[in-house]
Amino acid sequence: MSSIPVRRTTRVVRATKDTENANARPTRVAARLKTGVSTAASATTRATASTAASKAKSVLADAGKEEGGVKRKREALVEVTGLVTNNKPKDSAVSGAKGKEAEKSKELAAKTKGVVKAPVRRLVAGVATRRTVKAAVESTAAVTTSSKTSTQPAVTRKASVDHGEKMVVDQPRKVTRTAGIVKEEDEEATRVSKRRHTDEITIAKPVLDDSQAEADKIAAELEAADASNAPQLWDDLDAEDWDDPVMVSEYIAETCVYLKEIELACMPDPNYMEKQGEMTWEHRGILIDWLLMIHARFNLVSESLFLCVNILDRFLSQRPISISKLQLVGIACFFVATKFEETYAPSVKELAYLADNQYTIEEILKAERYLLKILDYDLRAPGPMTWLRRGSKADDCEVRARTIAKYLLEIGLVERRLIGIVPSLMSAASLWLARVSLGREQWTPNLEHYTTYGEKDILPIASILLEYIITNPIQHDSLFKKYAHKRFFRASAYIQSWALELWPENGSVNLEKDVADIKEECQRASLRIEA
């Protein structure tokens, strides 16, 4: 009997007997199969297959004539799958051929048998997917005409995954063939199906980047916090702003973490005056006092002033300058800060006029370019006003305490001992001291949470502020006069009188020892007011 694939036989009959669909395009499944088979088979195999197909065409054409031109129905299963099955051509198509046709049919069967097996072996050895391996094994079993039980050689199968690969070798399988129909034993089928889902695959663990490791660490900390079931002492004040797009309450926690990182990266060297040859701290104090004056004259926002001093200190930390260029550097820093923070910044002509035209416009612009180059155009330094507003929110936005705290923050600009203090700690210490001066000595859990500092962290900074107030409160006259105005609730005069009642003038302050006595005095004062 011939083992010619039925698919090729059907095409031959259709091409000679039925011309209606002779030029029909092949189906999508058939086209895919032809592509896969042609890729797996070699060039020699194609040549042999084409020769076998031409011989089969002549033999079956003669057989069709003898049968009286009766067409055979197309095998739908073969057309879809493209695999060799046990549906052999009818015996009449082969037995009717006589003489040379019968000999050609036998010779063609012997050649085709080898041709079919060759691509199957290549497929089994090279294709990695399970479906292709299974199809190749079934086709090998179909073209084998022996009816005895045989043992097939081991088939090497490569299981591929995203992160790792491992070679899996199938054990020899027993196949029973009866009357040309291939049947696998139930036990073998169950084992293969089970192996399909239980193959051992070595998967390499993915390498976690820094962000993923940090996220896992934060998740573990949150789980540990939930497990402890510690009571939350502070109130969630940001939940009230869920519908306010300006407050962006859903991002406020991440924003505070980012500001903490940036303020550390943008801190100047607190001892940079040692690198300066001609400058002293007194020269810097005079320059800051002049900058405070022109800032008040233009009525600018507080962020411009804090950014200006930060830029000045960072520049002086990297470059020593002469005394003759100090005011030019101050003008350039002020010009850059106002353009960064203000909606309408002062013009360069106005700044040159305020400097008594000692420097030309070209000199100011050149100093600005040089300044930005030294700082690598890094102007992201966050000032203390952001932290003061957040702490004031936990203080019910009390205006007097916030105004006094703003005065204390600007003292931090002129006091050299406070240059190395981060803005968040400066704002917390200023708010704490302002509240204590107003008789509100209790540092609530809300204030501690939203300012991110406890009372123990605040006391050393508050001591320095009080020493500046009682030592020489009007050393920087422009700052004292600015906050002695009525619109600032005369904050500078009020806190000066309050401090001098508790400490002597030009004395030293140690709040770590005196804080208990100060709180008792505040409580007695509040009781007198209530009475």
Side-chain angles (χ1 to χ4, degrees):
M1 296 180 63
S2 175
S3 59
I4 301 175
V6 181
R7 178 180 176 215
R8 298 185 182 277
T9 304
T10 305
R11 287 189 174 181
V12 172
V13 174
R14 182 175 63 186
T16 55
K17 296 295 183 179
D18 190 2
T19 60
E20 181 179 0
N21 298 322
N23 296 324
R25 296 176 62 185
T27 62
R28 184 177 298 177
V29 177
R32 290 177 180 173
L33 183 64
K34 290 198 295 182
T35 304
V37 174
S38 61
T39 303
S42 61
T44 307
T45 305
R46 293 196 196 98
T48 310
S50 61
T51 306
S54 60
K55 292 183 180 181
K57 179 177 179 181
S58 60
V59 173
L60 294 177
D62 296 338
K65 291 179 181 180
E66 291 182 2
E67 291 178 357
V70 179
K71 294 189 296 182
R72 294 178 63 249
K73 293 183 179 180
R74 184 174 60 180
E75 298 292 342
L77 180 61
V78 174
E79 189 68 23
V80 173
T81 60
L83 298 176
V84 180
T85 62
N86 292 317
N87 298 327
K88 303 290 191 302
K90 295 182 179 180
D91 294 340
S92 58
V94 180
S95 61
K98 299 179 181 180
K100 295 182 179 181
E101 290 76 3
E103 295 178 359
K104 291 180 179 180
S105 177
K106 292 179 181 180
E107 182 180 357
L108 179 60
K111 293 181 178 180
T112 309
K113 183 176 181 181
V115 171
V116 174
K117 286 184 178 180
V120 170
R121 294 193 187 100
R122 291 182 176 87
L123 285 173
V124 172
V127 180
T129 58
R130 295 185 178 91
R131 185 180 299 176
T132 309
V133 173
K134 183 178 178 181
V137 172
E138 291 179 357
S139 62
T140 306
V143 299
T144 307
T145 57
S146 176
S147 61
K148 296 181 181 181
T149 303
S150 62
T151 303
Q152 294 183 352
V155 179
T156 301
R157 180 161 50 89
K158 185 177 182 182
S160 299
V161 294
D162 293 339
H163 302 287
E165 296 181 352
K166 184 176 180 180
M167 302 301 296
V168 181
V169 180
D170 294 342
Q171 299 297 328
R173 49 189 302 188
K174 296 182 179 179
V175 181
T176 304
R177 302 173 178 83
T178 305
I181 300 176
V182 180
K183 295 182 178 179
E184 295 183 359
E185 296 180 356
D186 295 340
E187 181 180 357
E188 179 65 19
T190 304
R191 185 178 64 82
V192 173
S193 176
K194 185 176 181 180
R195 188 195 307 118
R196 184 181 307 142
H197 303 285
T198 59
D199 285 342
E200 295 183 0
I201 301 175
T202 303
I203 301 177
K205 294 183 179 180
V207 179
L208 300 179
D209 55 1
D210 295 339
S211 60
Q212 183 64 31
E214 183 179 359
D216 295 340
K217 181 180 178 181
I218 294 175
E221 292 177 356
L222 292 176
E223 291 179 0
D226 294 339
S228 62
N229 294 326
Q232 179 176 316
L233 302 178
W234 51 273
D235 302 326
D236 188 4
L237 303 179
D238 298 319
E240 303 173 357
D241 302 325
W242 66 270
D243 58 343
D244 190 354
V246 178
M247 301 301 293
V248 290
S249 59
E250 61 271 23
Y251 303 113
I252 190 63
E254 291 81 359
T255 303
C256 290
V257 174
Y258 173 75
L259 292 177
K260 285 277 190 178
E261 297 174 356
I262 296 303
E263 68 179 4
L264 290 175
C266 297
M267 288 297 297
D269 182 10
N271 300 316
Y272 69 83
M273 199 59 68
E274 298 175 358
K275 305 175 184 177
Q276 299 290 333
E278 301 180 10
M279 278 188 59
T280 61
W281 289 113
E282 288 74 17
H283 294 140
R284 178 188 179 274
I286 296 172
L287 177 62
I288 296 297
D289 191 65
W290 180 74
L291 292 174
L292 288 169
M293 181 185 65
I294 64 174
H295 177 269
R297 177 167 182 159
F298 285 106
N299 196 20
L300 303 176
V301 297
S302 300
E303 285 81 357
S304 298
L305 178 62
F306 289 110
L307 181 60
C308 172
V309 177
N310 177 268
I311 293 173
L312 174 65
D313 289 332
R314 287 165 58 196
F315 175 78
L316 295 178
S317 299
Q318 301 183 39
R319 288 291 184 275
I321 61 172
S322 61
I323 295 297
S324 60
K325 299 296 183 180
L326 180 60
Q327 190 176 12
L328 177 61
V329 172
I331 293 174
C333 293
F334 189 82
F335 188 43
V336 171
T338 53
K339 288 199 295 183
F340 188 82
E341 294 288 355
E342 301 290 339
T343 304
Y344 299 101
S347 64
V348 64
K349 293 182 180 180
E350 293 174 321
L351 296 179
Y353 171 78
L354 291 176
D356 295 332
N357 294 319
Q358 296 182 20
Y359 310 101
T360 63
I361 295 177
E362 290 74 15
E363 288 177 337
I364 296 176
L365 295 178
K366 184 178 179 180
E368 178 191 13
R369 291 191 297 268
Y370 180 72
L371 175 74
L372 292 174
K373 181 180 179 182
I374 295 300
L375 297 180
D376 198 18
Y377 294 86
D378 188 2
L379 305 177
R380 54 180 178 163
M385 288 303 300
T386 301
W387 294 103
L388 179 60
R389 293 189 184 99
R390 185 156 178 78
S392 180
K393 184 178 181 180
D395 192 29
D396 297 329
C397 297
E398 209 280 320
V399 180
R400 291 193 64 188
R402 184 170 59 183
T403 305
I404 297 174
K406 289 175 64 177
Y407 169 64
L408 296 175
L409 284 177
E410 294 191 17
I411 288 178
L413 298 178
V414 296
E415 175 57 49
R416 65 181 184 87
R417 291 179 293 175
L418 298 175
I419 293 177
I421 306 301
V422 293
S424 58
L425 182 55
M426 276 297 303
S427 64
S430 301
L431 185 59
W432 180 88
L433 186 56
R435 283 173 50 85
V436 170
S437 66
L438 294 173
R440 290 182 283 142
E441 75 286 350
Q442 185 179 4
W443 192 247
T444 63
N446 279 349
L447 289 166
E448 183 175 351
H449 172 74
Y450 288 101
T451 60
T452 68
Y453 291 100
E455 196 173 42
K456 293 182 179 180
D457 303 323
I458 290 171
L459 294 179
I461 312 303
S463 299
I464 298 175
L465 291 172
L466 283 173
E467 285 183 1
Y468 174 86
I469 292 172
I470 65 177
T471 300
N472 195 354
I474 58 174
Q475 179 180 1
H476 299 277
D477 189 55
S478 59
L479 178 59
F480 186 87
K481 287 183 177 180
K482 173 183 176 181
Y483 281 93
H485 198 273
K486 183 179 179 180
R487 67 170 182 166
F488 292 112
F489 303 104
R490 298 182 175 90
S492 58
Y494 170 79
I495 197 166
Q496 176 191 0
S497 61
W498 174 83
L500 290 176
E501 290 178 0
L502 298 175
W503 292 276
E505 188 176 354
N506 297 325
S508 61
V509 179
N510 189 354
L511 283 177
E512 296 180 358
K513 296 180 179 179
D514 302 335
V515 65
D517 297 335
I518 294 173
K519 288 185 176 182
E520 290 180 2
E521 181 63 28
C522 292
Q523 292 175 0
R524 287 193 295 268
S526 62
L527 291 176
R528 288 194 300 267
I529 293 173
E530 292 177 359

PDB file of all heavy atoms in Angstrom, residues 13 19 37 147 157 167 229 241 302 308 356 361 365 373 407 420 430 456 469 479 488 498 507:
ATOM      1  N   VAL A  13      -6.058  15.542  -7.439  1.00  0.00           N
ATOM      2  CA  VAL A  13      -7.377  15.258  -8.018  1.00  0.00           C
ATOM      3  C   VAL A  13      -8.120  16.541  -8.268  1.00  0.00           C
ATOM      4  O   VAL A  13      -8.766  16.719  -9.292  1.00  0.00           O
ATOM      5  CB  VAL A  13      -8.166  14.332  -7.056  1.00  0.00           C
ATOM      6  CG1 VAL A  13      -9.573  14.143  -7.567  1.00  0.00           C
ATOM      7  CG2 VAL A  13      -7.454  12.996  -6.941  1.00  0.00           C
ATOM      8  N   THR A  19     -11.951  22.208 -11.711  1.00  0.00           N
ATOM      9  CA  THR A  19     -11.266  23.478 -12.013  1.00  0.00           C
ATOM     10  C   THR A  19     -11.932  24.659 -11.348  1.00  0.00           C
ATOM     11  O   THR A  19     -11.485  25.783 -11.499  1.00  0.00           O
ATOM     12  CB  THR A  19     -11.245  23.706 -13.534  1.00  0.00           C
ATOM     13  OG1 THR A  19     -12.604  23.753 -13.996  1.00  0.00           O
ATOM     14  CG2 THR A  19     -10.495  22.620 -14.230  1.00  0.00           C
ATOM     15  N   VAL A  37       6.758  23.743   8.002  1.00  0.00           N
ATOM     16  CA  VAL A  37       7.381  22.531   7.466  1.00  0.00           C
ATOM     17  C   VAL A  37       8.537  22.895   6.554  1.00  0.00           C
ATOM     18  O   VAL A  37       9.597  22.270   6.565  1.00  0.00           O
ATOM     19  CB  VAL A  37       6.323  21.678   6.749  1.00  0.00           C
ATOM     20  CG1 VAL A  37       6.976  20.499   6.053  1.00  0.00           C
ATOM     21  CG2 VAL A  37       5.284  21.206   7.736  1.00  0.00           C
ATOM     22  N   SER A 147       2.687  -3.553  13.008  1.00  0.00           N
ATOM     23  CA  SER A 147       1.610  -3.757  13.970  1.00  0.00           C
ATOM     24  C   SER A 147       2.115  -4.283  15.302  1.00  0.00           C
ATOM     25  O   SER A 147       1.340  -4.677  16.158  1.00  0.00           O
ATOM     26  CB  SER A 147       0.582  -4.753  13.405  1.00  0.00           C
ATOM     27  OG  SER A 147       1.203  -5.999  13.169  1.00  0.00           O
ATOM     28  N   ARG A 157      13.406  17.428  24.570  1.00  0.00           N
ATOM     29  CA  ARG A 157      12.499  18.560  24.477  1.00  0.00           C
ATOM     30  C   ARG A 157      13.049  19.712  25.293  1.00  0.00           C
ATOM     31  O   ARG A 157      13.463  19.534  26.425  1.00  0.00           O
ATOM     32  CB  ARG A 157      11.115  18.188  25.007  1.00  0.00           C
ATOM     33  CG  ARG A 157      10.090  19.307  24.963  1.00  0.00           C
ATOM     34  CD  ARG A 157       8.697  18.724  25.067  1.00  0.00           C
ATOM     35  NE  ARG A 157       8.598  17.809  26.175  1.00  0.00           N
ATOM     36  CZ  ARG A 157       8.274  18.177  27.408  1.00  0.00           C
ATOM     37  NH1 ARG A 157       8.047  19.432  27.659  1.00  0.00           N
ATOM     38  NH2 ARG A 157       8.178  17.294  28.378  1.00  0.00           N
ATOM     39  N   MET A 167      16.714  21.460  29.929  1.00  0.00           N
ATOM     40  CA  MET A 167      16.434  20.385  28.988  1.00  0.00           C
ATOM     41  C   MET A 167      15.697  19.273  29.716  1.00  0.00           C
ATOM     42  O   MET A 167      16.120  18.812  30.763  1.00  0.00           O
ATOM     43  CB  MET A 167      17.740  19.859  28.386  1.00  0.00           C
ATOM     44  CG  MET A 167      18.547  20.926  27.666  1.00  0.00           C
ATOM     45  SD  MET A 167      17.648  21.691  26.319  1.00  0.00           S
ATOM     46  CE  MET A 167      17.445  20.274  25.243  1.00  0.00           C
ATOM     47  N   ASN A 229      -0.374  47.608  65.903  1.00  0.00           N
ATOM     48  CA  ASN A 229      -1.656  48.188  66.322  1.00  0.00           C
ATOM     49  C   ASN A 229      -1.464  49.365  67.283  1.00  0.00           C
ATOM     50  O   ASN A 229      -2.196  49.515  68.273  1.00  0.00           O
ATOM     51  CB  ASN A 229      -2.548  47.121  66.972  1.00  0.00           C
ATOM     52  CG  ASN A 229      -2.967  46.047  65.990  1.00  0.00           C
ATOM     53  OD1 ASN A 229      -3.169  46.341  64.813  1.00  0.00           O
ATOM     54  ND2 ASN A 229      -3.087  44.817  66.453  1.00  0.00           N
ATOM     55  N   ASP A 241      -8.680  67.953  52.531  1.00  0.00           N
ATOM     56  CA  ASP A 241      -8.343  68.634  51.269  1.00  0.00           C
ATOM     57  C   ASP A 241      -8.407  67.696  50.068  1.00  0.00           C
ATOM     58  O   ASP A 241      -7.777  67.962  49.038  1.00  0.00           O
ATOM     59  CB  ASP A 241      -6.937  69.230  51.367  1.00  0.00           C
ATOM     60  CG  ASP A 241      -6.823  70.199  52.519  1.00  0.00           C
ATOM     61  OD1 ASP A 241      -7.806  70.890  52.804  1.00  0.00           O
ATOM     62  OD2 ASP A 241      -5.739  70.253  53.143  1.00  0.00           O
ATOM     63  N   SER A 302       8.379  85.955  50.633  1.00  0.00           N
ATOM     64  CA  SER A 302       9.464  85.497  51.513  1.00  0.00           C
ATOM     65  C   SER A 302      10.348  84.454  50.844  1.00  0.00           C
ATOM     66  O   SER A 302      11.549  84.359  51.142  1.00  0.00           O
ATOM     67  CB  SER A 302       8.863  84.915  52.797  1.00  0.00           C
ATOM     68  OG  SER A 302       8.111  85.887  53.483  1.00  0.00           O
ATOM     69  N   CYS A 308      17.519  83.620  47.843  1.00  0.00           N
ATOM     70  CA  CYS A 308      18.646  84.511  47.557  1.00  0.00           C
ATOM     71  C   CYS A 308      19.811  84.233  48.514  1.00  0.00           C
ATOM     72  O   CYS A 308      20.969  84.102  48.086  1.00  0.00           O
ATOM     73  CB  CYS A 308      18.193  85.960  47.664  1.00  0.00           C
ATOM     74  SG  CYS A 308      19.519  87.168  47.561  1.00  0.00           S
ATOM     75  N   ASP A 356      23.622 102.145  43.471  1.00  0.00           N
ATOM     76  CA  ASP A 356      24.256 103.442  43.180  1.00  0.00           C
ATOM     77  C   ASP A 356      25.081 103.388  41.900  1.00  0.00           C
ATOM     78  O   ASP A 356      26.095 104.108  41.766  1.00  0.00           O
ATOM     79  CB  ASP A 356      25.139 103.897  44.345  1.00  0.00           C
ATOM     80  CG  ASP A 356      24.331 104.182  45.601  1.00  0.00           C
ATOM     81  OD1 ASP A 356      23.142 104.543  45.459  1.00  0.00           O
ATOM     82  OD2 ASP A 356      24.872 104.008  46.699  1.00  0.00           O
ATOM     83  N   ILE A 361      25.063  97.233  33.769  1.00  0.00           N
ATOM     84  CA  ILE A 361      24.128  96.147  33.494  1.00  0.00           C
ATOM     85  C   ILE A 361      24.870  94.938  32.940  1.00  0.00           C
ATOM     86  O   ILE A 361      24.557  93.783  33.277  1.00  0.00           O
ATOM     87  CB  ILE A 361      23.040  96.630  32.511  1.00  0.00           C
ATOM     88  CG1 ILE A 361      22.197  97.734  33.157  1.00  0.00           C
ATOM     89  CG2 ILE A 361      22.162  95.470  32.062  1.00  0.00           C
ATOM     90  CD1 ILE A 361      21.148  98.324  32.245  1.00  0.00           C
ATOM     91  N   LEU A 365      24.830  91.084  34.496  1.00  0.00           N
ATOM     92  CA  LEU A 365      24.429  89.916  33.708  1.00  0.00           C
ATOM     93  C   LEU A 365      25.565  88.904  33.596  1.00  0.00           C
ATOM     94  O   LEU A 365      25.336  87.690  33.615  1.00  0.00           O
ATOM     95  CB  LEU A 365      23.973  90.361  32.313  1.00  0.00           C
ATOM     96  CG  LEU A 365      22.715  91.236  32.264  1.00  0.00           C
ATOM     97  CD1 LEU A 365      22.411  91.649  30.827  1.00  0.00           C
ATOM     98  CD2 LEU A 365      21.527  90.503  32.868  1.00  0.00           C
ATOM     99  N   LYS A 373      26.602  79.097  36.491  1.00  0.00           N
ATOM    100  CA  LYS A 373      27.533  78.066  36.048  1.00  0.00           C
ATOM    101  C   LYS A 373      28.185  77.367  37.242  1.00  0.00           C
ATOM    102  O   LYS A 373      28.339  76.133  37.256  1.00  0.00           O
ATOM    103  CB  LYS A 373      28.600  78.687  35.148  1.00  0.00           C
ATOM    104  CG  LYS A 373      29.610  77.689  34.619  1.00  0.00           C
ATOM    105  CD  LYS A 373      30.637  78.373  33.728  1.00  0.00           C
ATOM    106  CE  LYS A 373      31.668  77.370  33.217  1.00  0.00           C
ATOM    107  NZ  LYS A 373      32.699  78.040  32.375  1.00  0.00           N
ATOM    108  N   TYR A 407       9.413  86.071  61.611  1.00  0.00           N
ATOM    109  CA  TYR A 407      10.491  86.933  62.090  1.00  0.00           C
ATOM    110  C   TYR A 407      11.668  86.100  62.583  1.00  0.00           C
ATOM    111  O   TYR A 407      12.838  86.418  62.290  1.00  0.00           O
ATOM    112  CB  TYR A 407       9.958  87.836  63.200  1.00  0.00           C
ATOM    113  CG  TYR A 407      11.033  88.589  63.941  1.00  0.00           C
ATOM    114  CD1 TYR A 407      11.828  89.530  63.293  1.00  0.00           C
ATOM    115  CD2 TYR A 407      11.253  88.352  65.295  1.00  0.00           C
ATOM    116  CE1 TYR A 407      12.829  90.227  63.975  1.00  0.00           C
ATOM    117  CE2 TYR A 407      12.254  89.041  65.993  1.00  0.00           C
ATOM    118  CZ  TYR A 407      13.042  89.973  65.322  1.00  0.00           C
ATOM    119  OH  TYR A 407      14.030  90.657  66.003  1.00  0.00           O
ATOM    120  N   GLY A 420      24.022  76.287  58.997  1.00  0.00           N
ATOM    121  CA  GLY A 420      24.019  74.855  58.712  1.00  0.00           C
ATOM    122  C   GLY A 420      22.788  74.114  59.174  1.00  0.00           C
ATOM    123  O   GLY A 420      22.768  72.877  59.134  1.00  0.00           O
ATOM    124  N   SER A 430      11.117  77.770  65.106  1.00  0.00           N
ATOM    125  CA  SER A 430      10.500  79.100  65.114  1.00  0.00           C
ATOM    126  C   SER A 430       9.042  79.029  65.545  1.00  0.00           C
ATOM    127  O   SER A 430       8.575  79.875  66.333  1.00  0.00           O
ATOM    128  CB  SER A 430      10.613  79.737  63.729  1.00  0.00           C
ATOM    129  OG  SER A 430      11.970  79.859  63.334  1.00  0.00           O
ATOM    130  N   LYS A 456      12.519  67.780  71.777  1.00  0.00           N
ATOM    131  CA  LYS A 456      13.934  67.640  72.104  1.00  0.00           C
ATOM    132  C   LYS A 456      14.827  68.092  70.962  1.00  0.00           C
ATOM    133  O   LYS A 456      15.917  68.624  71.182  1.00  0.00           O
ATOM    134  CB  LYS A 456      14.238  66.191  72.467  1.00  0.00           C
ATOM    135  CG  LYS A 456      13.594  65.727  73.760  1.00  0.00           C
ATOM    136  CD  LYS A 456      13.985  64.295  74.085  1.00  0.00           C
ATOM    137  CE  LYS A 456      13.366  63.847  75.395  1.00  0.00           C
ATOM    138  NZ  LYS A 456      13.734  62.440  75.735  1.00  0.00           N
ATOM    139  N   ILE A 469      18.209  87.334  70.262  1.00  0.00           N
ATOM    140  CA  ILE A 469      17.236  88.375  70.607  1.00  0.00           C
ATOM    141  C   ILE A 469      17.675  89.175  71.831  1.00  0.00           C
ATOM    142  O   ILE A 469      17.588  90.412  71.847  1.00  0.00           O
ATOM    143  CB  ILE A 469      15.845  87.746  70.838  1.00  0.00           C
ATOM    144  CG1 ILE A 469      15.303  87.199  69.511  1.00  0.00           C
ATOM    145  CG2 ILE A 469      14.875  88.748  71.432  1.00  0.00           C
ATOM    146  CD1 ILE A 469      14.028  86.395  69.652  1.00  0.00           C
ATOM    147  N   LEU A 479      15.861  94.541  59.746  1.00  0.00           N
ATOM    148  CA  LEU A 479      15.012  93.406  60.096  1.00  0.00           C
ATOM    149  C   LEU A 479      14.132  93.718  61.294  1.00  0.00           C
ATOM    150  O   LEU A 479      12.940  93.399  61.315  1.00  0.00           O
ATOM    151  CB  LEU A 479      15.886  92.180  60.391  1.00  0.00           C
ATOM    152  CG  LEU A 479      15.147  90.900  60.826  1.00  0.00           C
ATOM    153  CD1 LEU A 479      14.166  90.454  59.760  1.00  0.00           C
ATOM    154  CD2 LEU A 479      16.150  89.792  61.131  1.00  0.00           C
ATOM    155  N   PHE A 488       2.661  93.538  60.980  1.00  0.00           N
ATOM    156  CA  PHE A 488       3.297  92.307  61.452  1.00  0.00           C
ATOM    157  C   PHE A 488       3.081  92.092  62.952  1.00  0.00           C
ATOM    158  O   PHE A 488       3.808  91.324  63.579  1.00  0.00           O
ATOM    159  CB  PHE A 488       4.803  92.336  61.151  1.00  0.00           C
ATOM    160  CG  PHE A 488       5.122  92.256  59.678  1.00  0.00           C
ATOM    161  CD1 PHE A 488       5.666  93.356  59.029  1.00  0.00           C
ATOM    162  CD2 PHE A 488       4.881  91.101  58.960  1.00  0.00           C
ATOM    163  CE1 PHE A 488       5.957  93.293  57.675  1.00  0.00           C
ATOM    164  CE2 PHE A 488       5.176  91.040  57.612  1.00  0.00           C
ATOM    165  CZ  PHE A 488       5.717  92.134  56.957  1.00  0.00           C
ATOM    166  N   TRP A 498       9.303  89.904  75.767  1.00  0.00           N
ATOM    167  CA  TRP A 498       9.009  88.624  76.441  1.00  0.00           C
ATOM    168  C   TRP A 498      10.301  87.922  76.850  1.00  0.00           C
ATOM    169  O   TRP A 498      10.394  87.370  77.959  1.00  0.00           O
ATOM    170  CB  TRP A 498       8.195  87.734  75.518  1.00  0.00           C
ATOM    171  CG  TRP A 498       7.968  86.342  76.066  1.00  0.00           C
ATOM    172  CD1 TRP A 498       7.014  85.969  76.951  1.00  0.00           C
ATOM    173  CD2 TRP A 498       8.723  85.161  75.758  1.00  0.00           C
ATOM    174  NE1 TRP A 498       7.115  84.615  77.236  1.00  0.00           N
ATOM    175  CE2 TRP A 498       8.154  84.103  76.508  1.00  0.00           C
ATOM    176  CE3 TRP A 498       9.819  84.902  74.940  1.00  0.00           C
ATOM    177  CZ2 TRP A 498       8.651  82.805  76.458  1.00  0.00           C
ATOM    178  CZ3 TRP A 498      10.309  83.610  74.892  1.00  0.00           C
ATOM    179  CH2 TRP A 498       9.738  82.564  75.637  1.00  0.00           C
ATOM    180  N   GLY A 507      22.744  87.702  78.164  1.00  0.00           N
ATOM    181  CA  GLY A 507      22.958  86.479  78.909  1.00  0.00           C
ATOM    182  C   GLY A 507      22.938  85.266  77.994  1.00  0.00           C
ATOM    183  O   GLY A 507      22.775  85.354  76.764  1.00  0.00           O
TER     184      GLY A 507
END
